[in-house]
Amino acid sequence: MQLSTYFLSLQNPPSLSYRHRLCHHSLSKRPFRHKLICSLANSADQRSSELVTTLQSETLKTLEWPSLCNYLSPFTSTSMAFSLTKAAAIPVGQSREESQKLLDQTTSALHALEALKSEPLDLSVIEDVSEILHSAASGQVLTVRELCRVRRMLGAARAVSEKLAAIAEGGSLERYTPLLEILQGCNFQLELERKIGFCIDCSLSTILGRASEELELIREERKRNMENLDSLLKEVSVSIFQAGGIDKPLITKRRSRMCVGVKATHKYLLPGGVVLNVSSSGATYFMEPKEAVELNNMEVKLSNSEKAEEMAILSLLTSEIAESEAEIKYLLDRLIEVDLAFARAAYAQWVNGVCPILSSKESEMLISNGADNALSIDIEGMQHPLLLGSFLSNSTDFITSNSMGPSVLGNKSGEMTPIKSSKVVSNFPIPIDIKVQCGTRVVIISGPNTGGKTASMKTLGLASIMSKAGMYLPAKKQPRLPWFDLVLADIGDSQSLEQSLSTFSGHISQICEILEVASKESLVLIDEIGSGTDPSEGVALSTSILQYLKNRVNLAFVTTHYADLSRLKEMDPQYENAAMEFSLETLQPTYQILWGRTGDSNALTIAKSIGFDGNIIERAKMWVESLMPEKQQERKVVLQQSLMEERNRLEAQFKRAESLHAEIMKLYHEE
């Protein structure tokens, strides 16, 4: 069987006419593959990849990354991208370059959303045909409906590409290059799409006669035969009616053969006829007239031939889809990337997000050499993404994916382009600043319980993973932070009944594994380090762990109630202290981080505020003074010293700002 010579004479599909021409796919030039679990560092041969995968997976659960991914779900358009967000399997860059590529795609999608505001890009028409492709590849002949689904997907994919290309032609090509590059190298299978459309009428779900010359001939012959058979049966049925053998002329089909109805008492009117069936009452016979036997035989033969030819056409189209399986799957993967880029862009608008800058070691060195108190992490006004998402979802002015919230776009030159919106920025959750100087390797956060230490640490962890995944951060200005190969966390209760581990043993076991896999590019988060055991031993072990981390990782954030750990900064500038602010006036935490300071637990103050007997509080104060009189004084001295250092630093920055202002004004007046 061959397809119609008319169809075979169709020319190959013309090339698409936009600047970034989408060339045919080459499997040897596939772009980088995304994985949820970050790539191993160069020292991967020295550590177990299974342990890395396990620890990273546990960290993602601890930081509630799956819950954050769920907030992306409403902004996806395809079922495939929706499933990925629900499974927390969205792409995460395995290198700084890959993460930057994802961020560039998000920025490009934001520009596209603005350009397409009057006529949004409809990605919902992209169907998941992966199961159909699998069926075709396994040798199962596809149905008409399945072939039409593939055709619709190919047509929709081409339309998406052409629409993106059109807005790129009408605006700044550089803005949309990251999006166009996703689909670059894809084969849109235009010839296959047209071939299916030529052979099948998808609106009626039928195979067209023009699909092959043989099918066309069979259908023409069958039509003539049916006309002859229908004319004969009408003549016989009328004569039976006129003879009183039936109440009205009746032509029907029984056992795949055309026949007429006749009363049982009048079957003699059809001598030599064949009884094909009898009515349930037995009063009517359905008989095939002797003259119709040959015509019915021909109808059955032609019908079978038509079905065989249709099956051959379906088989041929199926084989062509099977041959293109890899390219179509590749196209689907790239369309998912486009969908996720637009989902990240819509999410950025929803949370009023800004694009983070992923700094490298080289850029950190340049920054630190060019300015005093240069920052390797500079995140201002960062809101906890999960708390913010919950607040926005429950607020009355919920922002959907179709409404435009404010955002800020970062272009490659570093200039900031605001997107205007009337959306009011919420002050809940309370924004925090995370500022870590270049050269700092360990940050020790102290302060009272319920003061926000753990939440602040989780915010940094989520900010790091979000940046790696190409997501904008709910912060102010433009956040800067390093790209971390691994984010490893020991947060929460690590008690294990199954392994007979106490809380302390569980934490130490987790930290031991973290130390085993952490690299010079890793971020380590440890909550309440060394707790759950004798304080003196806890401090000693914690100090040793922090000294080990200082020389092993990019950055470690730890929370503690051990005041002695805050003294490490006095001996080594690679340590930094931070405290969670606590208002003694309201006896409530402010959830603000005070950098360069140490915090008190305020346990007695808090106990008093919630109604403890005054005698108990006073007796506790006496015990504190008797047990640690020297340490209390030392802590006050350290606190005073840190406050003085902070004041000196601010004064130096103020003087430098005044000097720069004077120089600028001088240049201004000279012109």
Side-chain angles (χ1 to χ4, degrees):
M1 189 278 301
Q2 291 185 340
L3 294 180
S4 170
T5 54
Y6 171 74
F7 177 76
L8 294 176
S9 68
L10 290 174
Q11 296 180 353
N12 291 332
S15 300
L16 299 178
S17 60
Y18 53 87
R19 287 184 222 173
H20 274 259
R21 187 171 294 132
L22 300 174
C23 61
H24 287 283
H25 160 58
S26 170
L27 292 178
S28 62
K29 296 183 179 180
R30 295 178 68 134
F32 62 86
R33 288 177 176 267
H34 295 302
K35 293 182 181 179
L36 175 63
I37 305 303
C38 303
S39 64
L40 308 182
N42 293 332
S43 59
D45 55 340
Q46 301 175 1
R47 50 186 173 159
S48 168
S49 60
E50 291 184 3
L51 179 58
V52 171
T53 301
T54 299
L55 289 175
Q56 186 71 112
S57 179
E58 290 175 356
T59 294
L60 295 177
K61 291 179 182 178
T62 297
L63 298 177
E64 299 179 84
W65 174 247
S67 297
L68 181 59
C69 290
N70 279 339
Y71 283 119
L72 276 179
S73 299
F75 301 110
T76 59
S77 299
T78 65
S79 61
M80 298 165 286
F82 181 84
S83 298
L84 287 177
T85 56
K86 283 296 184 182
I90 65 174
V92 175
Q94 299 183 72
S95 67
R96 180 185 176 277
E97 291 71 26
E98 291 181 7
S99 294
Q100 186 59 55
K101 194 169 187 178
L102 291 170
L103 285 170
D104 292 342
Q105 291 172 4
T106 305
T107 300
S108 184
L110 273 165
H111 287 301
L113 285 176
E114 286 295 302
L116 296 168
K117 188 179 293 185
S118 59
E119 190 178 351
L121 189 69
D122 186 11
L123 289 166
S124 63
V125 293
I126 305 294
E127 298 184 57
D128 183 5
V129 296
S130 54
E131 288 297 324
I132 296 176
L133 296 177
H134 177 73
S135 297
S138 63
Q140 180 178 336
V141 178
L142 300 181
T143 65
V144 169
R145 292 182 181 276
E146 288 173 331
L147 289 166
C148 288
R149 285 186 61 190
V150 173
R151 177 175 180 265
R152 282 196 302 270
M153 187 280 294
L154 293 174
R158 180 170 46 80
V160 167
S161 176
E162 291 173 350
K163 195 163 188 176
L164 289 176
I167 63 170
E169 290 285 350
S172 171
L173 180 62
E174 185 179 357
R175 283 187 168 191
Y176 306 105
T177 297
L179 274 180
L180 294 175
E181 286 179 344
I182 297 176
L183 296 174
Q184 189 174 0
C186 291
N187 185 344
F188 290 88
Q189 303 290 331
L190 181 57
E191 185 176 357
L192 175 59
E193 178 195 344
R194 293 173 66 180
K195 187 175 292 187
I196 295 173
F198 182 83
C199 296
I200 298 175
D201 184 343
C202 287
S203 61
L204 299 176
S205 295
T206 57
I207 299 176
L208 297 172
R210 66 187 184 187
S212 75
E213 294 178 354
E214 191 171 348
L215 178 63
E216 198 166 24
L217 291 174
I218 291 173
R219 286 185 173 177
E220 288 177 0
E221 187 175 353
R222 186 183 178 192
K223 180 181 178 183
R224 288 193 297 269
N225 186 71
M226 279 298 298
E227 288 174 350
N228 293 334
L229 180 59
D230 186 61
S231 176
L232 171 65
L233 294 177
K234 282 182 179 179
E235 184 179 339
V236 172
S237 182
V238 169
S239 65
I240 292 174
F241 168 69
Q242 291 175 345
I246 194 74
D247 294 336
K248 62 179 180 179
L250 175 61
I251 300 174
T252 185
K253 179 179 283 190
R254 292 291 187 275
R255 293 163 57 182
S256 302
R257 302 178 73 85
M258 300 300 296
C259 57
V260 296
V262 60
K263 292 179 181 179
T265 56
H266 290 69
K267 71 173 184 175
Y268 64 85
L269 295 174
L270 293 175
V274 180
V275 178
L276 299 177
N277 205 347
V278 181
S279 66
S280 57
S281 64
T284 304
Y285 281 20
F286 300 100
M287 299 183 64
E288 179 184 16
K290 178 176 62 176
E291 301 82 1
V293 171
E294 187 174 343
L295 291 174
N296 261 327
N297 289 340
M298 180 60 68
E299 165 60 18
V300 172
K301 178 183 177 181
L302 291 174
S303 176
N304 291 336
S305 297
E306 181 181 16
K307 289 178 182 178
E309 185 64 15
E310 288 178 345
M311 184 60 67
I313 293 170
L314 294 178
S315 180
L316 180 60
L317 293 174
T318 298
S319 65
E320 296 204 15
I321 288 177
E323 291 174 3
S324 305
E325 179 198 15
E327 292 180 324
I328 298 175
K329 279 187 174 180
Y330 179 83
L331 175 60
L332 273 178
D333 289 343
R334 302 291 75 78
L335 290 167
I336 294 172
E337 281 191 42
V338 172
D339 190 11
L340 288 174
F342 276 98
R344 295 193 302 268
Y347 173 83
Q349 292 178 328
W350 185 52
V351 299
N352 194 43
V354 290
C355 183
I357 298 175
L358 295 175
S359 60
S360 61
K361 290 185 178 180
E362 293 77 12
S363 63
E364 281 189 35
M365 291 178 63
L366 291 174
I367 293 172
S368 60
N369 291 333
D372 296 331
N373 300 316
L375 300 175
S376 64
I377 297 183
D378 186 5
I379 303 177
E380 186 173 328
M382 174 81 178
Q383 295 175 288
H384 192 290
L386 290 177
L387 296 177
L388 179 61
S390 178
F391 172 79
L392 292 175
S393 298
N394 295 326
S395 63
T396 55
D397 58 340
F398 177 73
I399 306 299
T400 66
S401 58
N402 293 326
S403 57
M404 301 297 172
S407 189
V408 178
L409 305 177
N411 55 33
K412 291 187 177 180
S413 64
E415 298 175 356
M416 304 306 297
T417 306
I419 295 181
K420 297 180 180 180
S421 173
S422 59
K423 180 176 178 284
V424 178
V425 180
S426 167
N427 287 323
F428 181 84
I430 298 172
I432 63 170
D433 299 336
I434 305 176
K435 297 181 180 288
V436 180
Q437 293 185 7
C438 291
T440 297
R441 291 291 171 258
V442 178
V443 175
I444 302 168
I445 307 178
S446 55
N449 289 325
T450 71
K453 298 192 302 296
T454 304
S456 299
M457 189 165 57
K458 285 186 173 182
T459 300
L460 173 61
L462 281 175
S464 303
I465 299 173
M466 289 172 70
S467 301
K468 292 182 66 175
M471 296 177 67
Y472 279 27
L473 306 183
K476 298 177 181 177
K477 298 183 179 178
Q478 194 164 27
R480 177 186 295 274
L481 70 165
W483 183 89
F484 299 106
D485 66 339
L486 295 173
V487 179
L488 303 166
D490 175 51
I491 301 173
D493 187 2
S494 296
Q495 187 180 52
S496 174
L497 297 177
E498 182 179 345
Q499 299 181 14
S500 300
L501 295 177
S502 66
T503 300
F504 174 76
S505 299
H507 280 297
I508 291 302
S509 176
Q510 181 88 348
I511 293 173
C512 180
E513 293 177 339
I514 288 174
L515 297 180
E516 182 181 342
V517 303
S519 77
K520 281 287 188 180
E521 291 187 286
S522 300
L523 170 65
V524 174
L525 309 171
I526 303 178
D527 193 25
E528 298 296 345
I529 186 170
S531 62
T533 187
D534 178 80
S536 59
E537 291 187 353
V539 169
L541 181 59
S542 299
T543 301
S544 183
I545 291 172
L546 295 183
Q547 288 177 341
Y548 182 86
L549 284 171
K550 178 196 67 174
N551 300 317
R552 188 67 182 268
V553 302
N554 185 313
L555 183 65
F557 256 66
V558 300
T559 67
T560 184
H561 284 291
Y562 295 143
D564 291 336
L565 295 183
S566 300
R567 297 182 180 180
L568 292 173
K569 181 182 177 181
E570 301 173 15
M571 300 178 287
D572 192 332
Q574 293 184 88
Y575 293 94
E576 180 59 273
N577 292 327
M580 300 308 299
E581 187 179 47
F582 185 85
S583 173
L584 295 177
E585 296 179 358
T586 62
L587 298 179
Q588 293 292 328
T590 65
Y591 303 103
Q592 295 299 311
I593 303 177
L594 304 177
W595 293 96
R597 303 188 190 182
T598 57
D600 294 324
S601 65
N602 293 300
L604 300 182
T605 305
I606 295 173
K608 183 178 180 180
S609 69
I610 61 178
F612 262 78
D613 185 274
N615 293 327
I616 296 177
I617 301 298
E618 290 302 320
R619 193 174 296 114
K621 287 181 179 179
M622 292 173 61
W623 272 104
V624 170
E625 293 173 1
S626 63
L627 290 173
M628 297 189 302
E630 295 180 358
K631 290 186 177 182
Q632 288 289 323
Q633 183 61 31
E634 288 175 1
R635 289 175 64 186
K636 291 179 180 178
V637 171
V638 171
L639 179 59
Q640 180 66 24
Q641 183 180 353
S642 65
L643 290 173
M644 292 296 294
E645 289 175 354
E646 180 72 9
R647 187 185 70 177
N648 294 337
R649 186 179 69 83
L650 293 174
E651 286 179 352
Q653 288 182 343
F654 177 76
K655 289 179 180 179
R656 188 176 175 206
E658 281 188 326
S659 176
L660 288 173
H661 181 265
E663 290 179 10
I664 292 172
M665 294 304 298
K666 182 179 178 181
L667 291 173
Y668 176 80
H669 290 300
E670 285 179 355
E671 294 179 358

